[in-house]
Amino acid sequence: MNSKITEFIEICNWDKVEYLFFSDNVFGNLIYYSHFLAILLALSVSWFVITRGPKVLLNRILASIMIIFASWGFFDLIVWSTDKPEYSMFFWSLTILAEVLIYAFSVYFIHIFILKNDINLKKKIMIFLPLLPVIVLLPTVFMLQGFDLTNCYRDITEGFFATYYVYFIEIIYALWIIVFGIKKYISASEINRKQILYITSGVVLFLLSFASGNIIGSVTENWTLAQVGLFSMPIFVVFLAYMILRFKILNAKLIGAQILVFALGILVMAMGFIRTIENVKIIVLFTIIFVFILGKWLVNGVEKEILQREKLQKLSKELEDSNTQLAKANEKLKDLDRLKTEFLSLASHQLRSPLTAMKGYTSMILEGDYGKITKKLEDAVSRIFQSTNNLQIIVEDLLNVSKIEQGGMKFEMLDFDFGNLVQSVVTDLSINAKNKDLILKYNQNIDEKFIVCGDQLKLRQVILNLVDNAIKYTKKGSIDVNIIKKEDKAIFSVKDTGVGIEKNVIETLFQKFNRGDGARMNTSGSGLGLYLAKEIIKAHNGSIWVESDGLDKGSTFFVELDLKIK
Amino acid sequence: MMDKKSRNFFAIFVFIIFLSILLTYYRYIVMKDFTYFTDENLFYEELSLYQEYE
């Protein structure tokens, strides 16, 4: 170094720097100190993303960008504060290197974020190859020409590569991101479009504000103004935060609290390094605001958490108790139900044999197999035969109910003419109607066929039950049996002029052991007929229902079945 | 995760960057081999402004 240079350096009288970046040589102290905030923000984000997914490539790329940005801030701090020209030269060249790396990694980041997959090696080479001239020429005059000692501002005169090539590739990278983002936005789905828009805008804004600061500095040589590039980090963090909140990627409250705590720490720490009282006042003001916001947020948050936790604990205990009681009751009910079904089945089977024997022998006596009997005896045996028959029907019903409940009822589904079935039931029950002086009519169009697919025997049981009920519950008048076709359905109806049914009784009529007004009418029955009818019709994908205008106004029972369409 | 070829590419890339930084360090910090741009008249002109600012 010649004597003139030494003389100029002595005249400038730069303050000796301590620990690399603590000195009075800085211009615009607040902007200088804001380096710390930007560095710490960048490092916090990188720590945050890498701890949440160290093996995820996207997280690694983002963390790399943040670390390189933090390094850029660190190098810039030294450039600002150093009193040694050689340090200015070295760290200034490192800032240029850091800059271009941030751009290249941002392009890589956008690709992985949008494509959700790593890119091939060819694309990676395309992204990073333009950096090669910058890296190779870093120690040469093409990057930095020399130290500007025409003034005391510790400026560096940048070379061709630093001034033109670096900014040229930065513009290309920024355009690359924009064009890629637009292309992917157009072809993406609605939810992905928003993500692409926010992340692309965030990254581009970050890079542009970063570049604008450096471009302004290089062109105007006003490096104080150039520090606006530092604020690109908060812009990116805001977008990242918005993305997190908008798409609920991470726990926003936790991030918010962490960021506030860090910011508070930085502000308190910064007070130890500020030399002027005005700046201390500003820092103290910001600190108070942050403490207030953070304190309020934390207190509210903790209070809410405690209340919610207590409420949850109480509800949880109540739920647990209810669940235990319900479980016990459920077990009891299951046992009872199982026992009831088993009993029904057992009892019905046990009753069947003696009933069959009774019916058999009484029938044989009536037919004269045991010789001629008197009229009186014949009447008595007839009654026994009839009662046995009725009892057998009840036992059969009980057996069917237990079968249904155990899931053991089988259906033999075949095509048959429903009209013929109804006709045969009406014919069988016509004697019963005649005995009660009731008119039993079946309005059938002989030429019309009602082909359905079903278990003929079981459906016969249903129709028999309904017509028989109509006869039982009608004192005088008529019973009209009808079938009509409605679109692809056959609707069977049996209308009587009997006792009618009250509205509240209709609701429970098809339940087990419900006989409606059966007790009042003094008619026999188990109360299972309609329940069985409902289950059988349900198994045929049909419907059964009743309509009545009230007591003594008659009632109409309907059955709807699907017609077999050829 | 990255494939092996990409990892090798980045390894070489990082090595070149490291070499470049090392060379830059050697040139500027160790050898102090760089140019000082000086202009006496301009220097004293700027100096008065600089001292005012300080």
Side-chain angles (χ1 to χ4, degrees):
Chain A
M1 214 192 297
N2 69 35
S3 55
K4 214 61 186 169
I5 290 164
T6 319
E7 187 193 326
F8 285 161
I9 289 172
E10 272 174 23
I11 291 169
C12 284
N13 194 29
W14 296 315
D15 204 47
K16 264 221 158 359
V17 73
E18 288 166 15
Y19 305 109
L20 273 180
F21 34 68
F22 296 118
S23 80
D24 274 337
N25 299 323
V26 293
F27 305 124
N29 290 355
L30 206 59
I31 295 177
Y32 169 74
Y33 292 125
S34 61
H35 278 84
F36 288 109
L37 183 68
I39 292 168
L40 278 157
L41 255 172
L43 289 174
S44 312
V45 172
S46 78
W47 169 82
F48 189 80
V49 295
I50 213 71
T51 50
R52 259 146 193 78
K55 288 202 162 92
V56 179
L57 184 61
L58 190 69
N59 289 13
R60 286 181 177 183
I61 305 298
L62 185 58
S64 304
I65 295 172
M66 298 294 117
I67 290 168
I68 298 168
F69 183 88
S71 308
W72 178 89
F74 176 70
F75 301 146
D76 205 46
L77 264 175
I78 298 169
V79 165
W80 270 69
S81 56
T82 189
D83 59 330
K84 295 183 173 61
E86 60 271 21
Y87 276 50
S88 293
M89 292 293 288
F90 176 62
F91 286 103
W92 194 295
S93 58
L94 290 187
T95 60
I96 297 169
L97 179 63
E99 243 181 79
V100 294
L101 281 170
I102 288 170
Y103 273 77
F105 273 100
S106 298
V107 174
Y108 189 19
F109 172 77
I110 279 286
H111 274 81
I112 299 179
F113 188 94
I114 293 174
L115 298 173
K116 308 229 183 293
N117 226 342
D118 196 5
I119 51 176
N120 58 32
L121 180 64
K122 199 173 156 197
K123 269 221 173 87
K124 284 185 189 116
I125 293 171
M126 265 177 73
I127 294 171
F128 291 97
L129 202 63
L131 302 183
L132 206 57
V134 177
I135 299 165
V136 166
L137 297 173
L138 197 73
T140 69
V141 294
F142 294 106
M143 205 55 66
L144 300 180
Q145 287 186 348
F147 193 88
D148 185 357
L149 205 46
T150 60
N151 55 60
C152 290
Y153 297 115
R154 300 183 324 282
D155 280 340
I156 306 289
T157 306
E158 290 183 334
F160 166 82
F161 260 88
T163 312
Y164 297 108
Y165 181 75
V166 164
Y167 294 128
F168 171 71
I169 60 168
E170 284 175 2
I171 291 166
I172 297 296
Y173 281 138
L175 283 172
W176 187 339
I177 291 170
I178 293 168
V179 168
F180 182 75
I182 291 171
K183 257 178 76 176
K184 292 300 166 191
Y185 179 86
I186 291 168
S187 60
S189 64
E190 196 56 50
I191 185 78
N192 287 341
R193 273 187 175 187
K194 286 193 178 141
Q195 276 192 13
I196 292 167
L197 177 66
Y198 294 138
I199 198 67
T200 310
S201 317
V203 170
V204 168
L205 261 171
F206 161 66
L207 294 174
L208 282 177
S209 60
F210 187 47
S212 62
N214 294 324
I215 292 169
I216 289 167
S218 290
V219 169
T220 65
E221 305 230 343
N222 183 346
W223 293 103
T224 307
L225 203 59
Q227 298 319 298
V228 75
L230 275 171
F231 300 102
S232 59
M233 179 47 61
I235 291 172
F236 185 66
V237 171
V238 164
F239 265 90
L240 202 64
Y242 184 73
M243 284 280 292
I244 290 164
L245 283 167
R246 182 76 176 77
F247 300 105
K248 297 183 186 356
I249 302 166
L250 301 154
N251 186 331
K253 273 201 181 142
L254 182 62
I255 298 166
Q258 285 174 330
I259 288 170
L260 273 176
V261 165
F262 267 118
L264 196 62
I266 291 156
L267 285 168
V268 169
M269 204 169 73
M271 281 199 277
F273 302 100
I274 296 166
R275 311 290 175 98
T276 63
I277 195 75
E278 287 76 23
N279 288 344
V280 169
K281 283 182 188 169
I282 294 168
I283 297 293
V284 165
L285 180 67
F286 274 116
T287 310
I288 290 169
I289 293 168
F290 272 124
V291 166
F292 180 73
I293 297 169
L294 182 64
K296 195 167 189 307
W297 194 357
L298 279 173
V299 166
N300 283 351
V302 170
E303 200 180 6
K304 217 170 158 183
E305 290 276 340
I306 291 171
L307 283 168
Q308 271 181 344
R309 193 171 294 181
E310 280 175 2
K311 207 172 167 183
L312 269 167
Q313 271 175 348
K314 196 175 163 198
L315 283 169
S316 178
K317 182 95 185 21
E318 281 173 15
L319 194 65
E320 219 181 293
D321 291 337
S322 305
N323 277 351
T324 316
Q325 283 173 349
L326 272 169
K328 278 187 193 158
N330 198 30
E331 279 307 310
K332 247 188 186 166
L333 278 169
K334 272 187 191 167
D335 286 335
L336 281 170
D337 196 55
R338 191 179 39 84
L339 282 168
K340 180 214 77 192
T341 307
E342 278 171 16
F343 169 74
L344 256 179
S345 180
L346 199 68
S348 308
H349 276 294
Q350 296 301 319
L351 286 169
R352 249 183 173 174
S353 315
L355 282 172
T356 311
M358 280 166 65
K359 202 174 161 183
Y361 280 108
T362 48
S363 162
M364 277 163 42
I365 291 169
L366 285 169
E367 281 166 14
D369 288 354
Y370 289 90
K372 208 171 165 22
I373 54 172
T374 61
K375 188 84 173 71
K376 238 184 178 175
L377 194 60
E378 195 186 334
D379 285 340
V381 172
S382 256
R383 282 206 187 138
I384 295 168
F385 179 80
Q386 198 54 50
S387 300
T388 312
N389 218 21
N390 291 343
L391 190 58
Q392 199 173 44
I393 292 169
I394 292 169
V395 166
E396 281 300 322
D397 283 350
L398 285 169
L399 205 61
N400 283 333
V401 164
S402 77
K403 265 192 205 163
I404 285 169
E405 286 183 348
Q406 287 178 334
M409 181 156 268
K410 288 183 177 46
F411 294 91
E412 206 178 325
M413 306 298 254
L414 292 164
D415 295 348
F416 66 95
D417 187 354
F418 189 53
N420 286 350
L421 182 146
V422 172
Q423 179 63 68
S424 88
V425 167
V426 167
T427 308
D428 287 350
L429 292 176
S430 57
I431 302 165
N432 296 18
K434 200 177 169 184
N435 290 344
K436 282 183 84 175
D437 291 325
L438 296 169
I439 303 164
L440 176 60
K441 282 186 285 178
Y442 177 35
N443 310 316
Q444 188 208 8
N445 180 354
I446 295 162
D447 296 324
E448 204 166 10
K449 292 223 177 290
F450 299 91
I451 308 295
V452 298
C453 180
D455 187 317
Q456 199 167 343
L457 248 115
K458 301 256 180 349
L459 284 173
R460 187 172 203 282
Q461 193 183 330
V462 171
I463 304 303
L464 188 77
N465 185 276
L466 292 177
V467 178
D468 191 44
N469 277 352
I471 295 170
K472 257 194 239 175
Y473 290 92
T474 307
K475 283 185 193 162
K476 59 175 181 186
S478 63
I479 295 142
D480 291 320
V481 177
N482 207 1
I483 314 178
I484 55 163
K485 254 186 202 165
K486 194 178 177 184
E487 287 164 8
D488 58 343
K489 303 236 191 250
I491 301 179
F492 162 87
S493 63
V494 53
K495 184 180 174 160
D496 61 54
T497 54
V499 297
I501 310 165
E502 283 175 309
K503 251 198 173 60
N504 57 328
V505 176
I506 287 178
E507 284 161 15
T508 59
L509 206 60
F510 291 93
Q511 288 173 7
K512 269 185 281 185
F513 307 114
N514 193 306
R515 296 189 58 222
D517 256 343
R520 186 170 71 88
M521 287 292 295
N522 203 21
T523 55
S524 63
S526 60
L528 293 171
L530 286 176
Y531 169 74
L532 279 167
K534 183 190 86 183
E535 292 299 315
I536 290 166
I537 298 299
K538 206 163 98 177
H540 285 79
N541 293 323
S543 317
I544 181 168
W545 71 97
V546 63
E547 287 168 16
S548 175
D549 290 329
L551 283 176
D552 297 321
K553 287 182 182 153
S555 45
T556 313
F557 279 78
F558 295 91
V559 170
E560 189 185 80
L561 290 168
D562 291 328
L563 280 167
K564 188 93 179 165
I565 297 160
K566 285 199 178 130
Chain B
M1 287 296 280
M2 230 182 260
D3 58 82
K4 195 176 178 188
K5 279 189 182 161
S6 300
R7 272 184 281 158
N8 291 342
F9 168 72
F10 278 111
I12 297 167
F13 189 70
V14 167
F15 180 70
I16 295 172
I17 291 173
F18 171 72
L19 273 178
S20 176
I21 293 172
L22 204 63
L23 275 166
T24 312
Y25 177 83
Y26 180 76
R27 188 192 163 179
Y28 294 136
I29 307 284
V30 174
M31 299 303 289
K32 294 186 177 49
D33 174 25
F34 55 91
T35 311
Y36 283 89
F37 294 109
T38 56
D39 184 319
E40 202 163 341
N41 294 332
L42 193 58
F43 179 81
Y44 286 110
E45 207 179 292
E46 292 284 340
L47 183 63
S48 56
L49 287 165
Y50 178 77
Q51 281 167 344
E52 255 180 57
Y53 180 84
E54 282 286 289

